[in-house]
Every structure is written in structure tokens, then in C-alpha cells.
Amino acid sequence: LAAASFAAIPIKKQLVSHSAAPDACDAFQLCSRLDSRGQHGALAERVFQFLGVHPAMLLREDLRQGPYFNLLRLKARLMCGDFHLYRTRGLDPLRRVMGSSAQQARAFVREVVLSLEASNYGGSVVPPGGKMRDVYTVFVRDAGWFLRIELRMEGGRPAIVVCEPQECDVVLVLHGWFAHSEGA
Amino acid sequence: MQGEEREDLQPCGACGRGTLRPKDMAWVRTGHRDDPRLCVRRRIVLPVCDACGDMALDHVLAAALDEALEDAYRQKRLRQQRAMISDLHKLGLTSTEIECAACLPPGHVTRLRRGMVASPRTFRLLHLLHAFSPGAVWALSRIDPALAEVYARVATDDEL
């Protein structure tokens, strides 16, 4: 993984240049305004890459405090290698970044999830039509990137639905969102 | 029988709407290593969501997927590299000259023809040499004078 690289996206600079949007919450507002004017697209995509959640999606998502799933129980099952890794947002992003096989990516995810602590928890999320997931972020490299991890238990087995490299700490973003929601 | 199948089916944790159903992934294009469009040619059944197309892989399925992809990757690469080397030979380049142009160790081209899979870097060099010969040989002759004679031999009169 040390050799992996992830292209940094200077989204904050873009947002600031578009208007005064110093933090993530302002970015959501800006994007929702752009969406209402039909100007969504490139900027919203950049925000998506930066935050890991599409702004419009995040506004609709039901965010809750948690964690909803017991991390210790989850890790215990994970120790045995008994878990599911979803392909589209779990396996494929890692394979692209690391250039690894599915088994290597699974081994990496296992190590990362076993290293999770309560402080890595960002929030619990219910995507529209989806099921509850706990969101965690792990910092992977000094220079670089965070891993956004969304996991849940399915039939008594851990399932890693999302494991994507991110530019920012999802924990901070989601906490910012909570503060924003409470203030509003 | 139907009851057993129903028990095996899991709801999709990614979209929450669909169900993970066994699906044959033969002939579906997917990315593997440095090949973004690899097609698995043999039967491999994976649980695929009927709504979003995502799939949940445990260690057995991941190993099976790896094996199928690796097999397909090896077959495709061997076929391509053999064809490229054969074309370069037809153009007039010997194995030694290809090794000289692509900075490969002696005997490497022979090993590639006999079944060794080229590294992504070597494959790309071969691909460039194949796509732009003899122009590529001329460009390389500017940094390696030994290739100037090769270019003079393989280039047509118009190109000279």
C-alpha cells in the first residue's frame, strides 16, 4: 500500500473561488443551490470525490449517532476471515489504487478494519432505500489519503460495503454535518 | 429445492433493494491488473445483485474470481505478445534487436514467446514498438546508435 498513490483534488480552493465556502457545510449549501439552478455536474462531482458522499445524497441521507453495529463482535468475525467485501465500492477502488488481486485487497481490508477504533467512527448512515451502515475513516499515509469504510452485519457476518480512498477525514465531515443540522 | 435456493439468497447490502442471485460472469468485461477490459471466458458463478449489479465476495469467491481473472489475463497477454513479436519479426527485426530496442535482457523475447507473461512495462514497450515501427526504431536510434543500422534495414525507401 505504501506505493499506492491517490490524486489530490484541490476542491476547497475551487469552492472558495466559486464563492465563500470555507467548510463542508457551506459546500453542501453551495451545491444544493447549484443543483436547484441546474448547474450541478462538474462541481458536484468534485465535491463527491472530496467528501465521499454526493452532496445531494448527503442532504437526503438519514444520519444517526452510533455506532449501530458492535465493533468488537465485528472484528471477532473478521479475525476468522469470515466477511463479505462488496465489489463496486469496496474491492474495485482498492484494486485500482493498489494494483492488487481480490485476495490481496481482501487481506488489506481485513487488516484495516481490525485496526479500527472507536475514534475512527464518523456516523451511521442509511442511504435512500438502503440499510444502516457505520461509517469509519482511517488515515493511511502521511502525505496522502484516508479510507472511508462503511460496514454492516449481514446475517451475522460482517460486510464491508464501501472501502474507498478519500481526500479528507469523513469523521470530521460528518461531525461538521451533525453540528450543522443541530444548528439549523 | 426452491426453498433451499430461497434460503441462500441474501438481500444486497449496497443498494438495499435487490437480492444477490447467482449469476454466470463469463464474457463480462472487467478490469484486472493493468488490463481494464478483461473478459473471463470460463463459467464463474458469483452472487450479483439483480438491482444494482454489485456483488458480495467472501474468501472462496474472491479466490475463484482471482483465479479466473488471472487465467484470462495470462491467455490474453500471451496471445497479444506472441502476435506482436511475430509481427516485429515479419518486419525484419530479430529477437536480439527487439531486446536491444526495448532494453530487455538477452533471451527475454524467446521466453516471452514460450509462455512467460511480460510485465506491464515490457508489454507497453512492445506495444509501442509494434504500433510505431519503424518510426519507433528511428527514434530509439537517436539514443542508441546500434539501432540506426536496424532502422536502415527495416525502413522503406520513402521513410528513409
Side-chain angles (χ1 to χ4, degrees):
Chain A
L1 184 68
S5 63
F6 184 68
I9 303 152
I11 184 64
K12 268 194 175 172
K13 284 181 191 168
Q14 272 220 0
L15 289 170
V16 171
S17 68
H18 270 74
S19 75
D23 62 15
C25 297
D26 288 344
F28 301 148
Q29 289 184 341
L30 171 65
C31 287
S32 60
R33 281 208 300 276
L34 288 174
D35 273 348
S36 64
R37 290 184 210 157
Q39 294 174 346
H40 65 286
L43 183 61
E45 282 302 313
R46 305 275 281 185
V47 173
F48 171 68
Q49 285 177 313
F50 179 68
L51 300 175
V53 183
H54 194 281
M57 183 83 146
L58 192 60
L59 290 170
R60 278 159 43 206
E61 274 181 342
D62 182 11
L63 287 169
R64 295 178 196 176
Q65 298 280 14
Y68 190 77
F69 300 102
N70 187 328
L71 190 58
L72 283 176
R73 193 175 300 162
L74 207 137
K75 281 184 182 179
R77 294 304 297 265
L78 217 77
M79 284 284 280
C80 317
D82 184 20
F83 69 99
H84 279 133
L85 177 60
Y86 277 79
R87 187 171 176 187
T88 307
R89 291 185 68 194
L91 188 65
D92 284 351
L94 284 179
R95 280 173 58 190
R96 268 197 300 277
V97 172
M98 297 165 62
S100 63
S101 66
Q103 284 171 298
Q104 287 167 332
R106 268 181 61 89
F108 170 74
V109 170
R110 180 174 171 268
E111 291 302 315
V112 168
V113 177
L114 284 176
S115 74
L116 287 180
E117 293 172 6
S119 58
N120 298 120
Y121 174 73
S124 296
V125 152
V126 187
K131 295 176 179 175
M132 177 75 81
R133 305 168 190 169
D134 285 345
V135 184
Y136 291 85
T137 310
V138 186
F139 185 65
V140 176
R141 240 180 117 192
D142 301 326
W145 42 281
F146 295 88
L147 263 182
R148 176 196 173 97
I149 297 168
E150 291 185 18
L151 39 84
R152 53 176 280 105
M153 293 290 274
E154 284 179 358
R157 297 170 88 182
I160 319 302
V161 183
V162 177
C163 188
E164 289 177 325
Q166 299 290 314
E167 192 186 341
C168 68
D169 192 345
V170 183
V171 177
L172 293 178
V173 170
L174 290 179
H175 283 181
W177 170 249
F178 279 126
H180 176 69
S181 306
E182 285 162 12
Chain B
M1 184 68 185
Q2 283 182 347
E4 284 174 13
E5 282 178 1
R6 213 172 291 131
E7 277 179 7
D8 290 342
L9 297 179
Q10 292 259 342
C12 176
C15 68
R17 294 170 192 147
T19 308
L20 296 168
R21 294 177 189 281
K23 186 182 173 188
D24 188 3
M25 296 302 288
W27 302 102
V28 175
R29 286 191 185 278
T30 183
H32 181 63
R33 292 218 225 169
D34 58 320
D35 190 342
R37 290 177 300 171
L38 189 64
C39 191
V40 177
R41 296 184 176 208
R42 71 179 187 206
R43 190 168 185 269
I44 173 166
V45 178
L46 297 172
V48 181
C49 174
D50 52 11
C52 69
D54 206 345
M55 54 182 82
L57 301 174
D58 60 11
H59 67 285
V60 177
L61 293 174
L65 180 66
D66 268 352
E67 192 188 338
L69 285 173
E70 195 59 37
D71 191 34
Y73 178 84
R74 184 179 165 77
Q75 283 181 19
K76 184 178 175 184
R77 277 296 153 94
L78 282 177
R79 196 172 61 248
Q80 286 178 328
Q81 71 192 32
R82 279 174 182 153
M84 284 192 295
I85 292 169
S86 176
D87 283 353
L88 288 171
H89 282 169
K90 281 177 193 165
L91 194 72
L93 288 167
T94 64
S95 295
T96 313
E97 287 161 355
I98 296 170
E99 285 157 8
C100 181
C103 234
L104 298 172
H108 200 78
V109 169
T110 309
R111 285 195 287 275
L112 293 180
R113 292 192 72 183
R114 284 183 183 169
M116 179 182 152
V117 178
S119 69
R121 189 176 297 172
T122 304
F123 184 81
R124 289 191 176 208
L125 275 172
L126 278 176
H127 187 77
L128 282 174
L129 202 59
H130 176 257
F132 297 108
S133 271
V137 180
W138 172 78
L140 289 169
S141 71
R142 298 177 71 183
I143 53 173
D144 186 355
L147 288 168
E149 292 174 17
V150 180
Y151 175 68
R153 199 178 69 241
V154 299
T156 59
D157 291 339
D158 292 344
E159 286 163 339
L160 286 169

